[in-house]
């Protein structure tokens, strides 16, 4: 069993990140598996080295170790996406050789390409505007100074997979996402492509991640098939949300691990609280991550979004 945690170093790690990291770590360790830490720093405009260092420090503080990662090289590295760009480009070329890639001149601002989708946000379905462009039309766009993104021509298919928590998921790709971007117009490879290449080459066979990525899994399964890679088993866990119903994000500084540590909250307090919310503990109590391995079961994890209160984590009633 090979699991992974793959955070983006674009901000301080918050309680929602810790939730996903804990459940991914427990899912692997409970089966005697190994853990891979991969830093998804593909976007140079958002990623910072200080955030990457902070993530590793926070994980170690929580007691969530890893067997391979940026500071612990293994046979499947490198473990930073910024050092794996050539692997993504090779995948693009393989897809192009199959006649499945075309240039798209639609603006990034309009389409919000290459970012991991988030629950609750409407996802724009690409209508294939540039798919049938003639050579003359493409040349005209290039002369205007517009740099193209690259899209994958999606087949008229419905993909089905069984999620470890939510069961059977079916998605008709053309109506759900349309032709999706695999490389942005600025040359940065898209999340959907990079995560498939990374998990495939790193031999990850179990992915536990947030429910916000559930709808993107079918297009990733398509990429696995086209690239001749074996897909992992997927389990998507519910998101942590604030009392007002909004998902936790890096903008909520009060629930960042750095802020919680500054207020004197111990790692065992956070782990125990998250384990209680996951149904692994019957009451809210402090616990070490290692002590929860034998308690882990997907059957206990709730299917609905989990509401968290900062007063709870701070021990106030």
């Amino acid at each position: 069993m090979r699991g992974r945690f793959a955070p983006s170093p674009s901000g301080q790690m918050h309680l929602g990140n810790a939730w996903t990291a804990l459940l991914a770590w427990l899912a692997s360790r409970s089966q005697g598996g190994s853990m891979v830490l991969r830093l998804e720093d593909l976007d140079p405009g958002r990623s910072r080295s200080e955030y990457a260092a902070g993530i590793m420090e926070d994980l170690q503080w929580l007691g969530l170790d890893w067997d391979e990662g940026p500071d612990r090289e293994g046979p499947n590295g490198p473990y930073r996406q910024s050092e794996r760009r050539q692997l993504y480009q090779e995948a693009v070329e393989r897809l192009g050789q199959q006649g499945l890639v075309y240039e798209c001149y639609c603006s990034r601002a309009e389409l919000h390409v290459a970012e991991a989708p988030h629950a609750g946000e409407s996802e724009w379905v690409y209508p294939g505007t540039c798919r049938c462009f003639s050579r003359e039309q493409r040349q005209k766009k290039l002369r205007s100074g517009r740099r193209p993104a690259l899209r994958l021509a999606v087949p008229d298919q419905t993909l089905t997979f069984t999620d470890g928590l939510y069961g059977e998921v079916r998605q008709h790709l053309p109506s759900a996402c349309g032709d999706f971007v695999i490389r942005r117009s600025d040359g940065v490879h898209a999340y959907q492509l990079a995560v498939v290449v990374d998990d495939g080459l790193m031999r990850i066979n179990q992915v536990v991640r947030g429910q916000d990525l559930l709808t993107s899994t079918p297009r990733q399964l398509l990429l696995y098939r086209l690239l001749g890679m074996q897909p992992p088993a997927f389990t998507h866990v519910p998101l942590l949300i604030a009392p007002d119903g909004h998902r936790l994000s890096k903008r909520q500084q009060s629930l960042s691990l750095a802020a919680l540590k500054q207020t004197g909250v111990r790692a065992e307090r956070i782990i125990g609280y998250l384990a209680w919310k996951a149904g692994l503990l019957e009451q809210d109590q402090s616990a070490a991550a290692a002590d929860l391995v034998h308690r882990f079961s997907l059957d206990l994890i709730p299917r609905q979004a989990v509401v968290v209160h900062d007063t709870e984590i701070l021990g106030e009633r």
Side-chain angles (χ1 to χ4, degrees), residues 195-214:
V195 72
V196 168
V197 172
D198 288 344
D199 284 342
L201 294 180
M202 292 182 180
R203 300 181 296 109
I204 302 300
N205 53 24
Q206 174 181 262
V207 169
V208 176
R209 60 187 184 184
Q211 191 267 346
D212 53 333
L213 293 172
L214 181 65

Side-chain angles (χ1 to χ4, degrees), residues 256-316:
S256 72
L257 297 190
L260 292 171
K261 280 192 282 187
Q262 288 178 355
T263 62
V265 177
R266 296 183 302 112
E268 293 79 6
R269 173 79 190 98
I270 294 174
I271 292 294
Y273 177 76
L274 295 176
W276 172 55
K277 289 292 186 178
L280 306 182
L281 293 175
E282 294 182 358
Q283 59 185 4
D284 184 6
Q285 63 189 66
S286 295
D291 295 335
L292 298 170
V293 172
H294 70 285
R295 293 176 175 267
F296 181 78
S297 172
L298 288 177
D299 294 336
L300 298 174
I301 298 176
R303 269 60 175 172
Q304 302 300 318
V306 177
V307 179
V308 297
H309 301 263
D310 53 2
T311 53
E312 288 180 338
I313 194 65
L314 292 171
E316 300 173 11

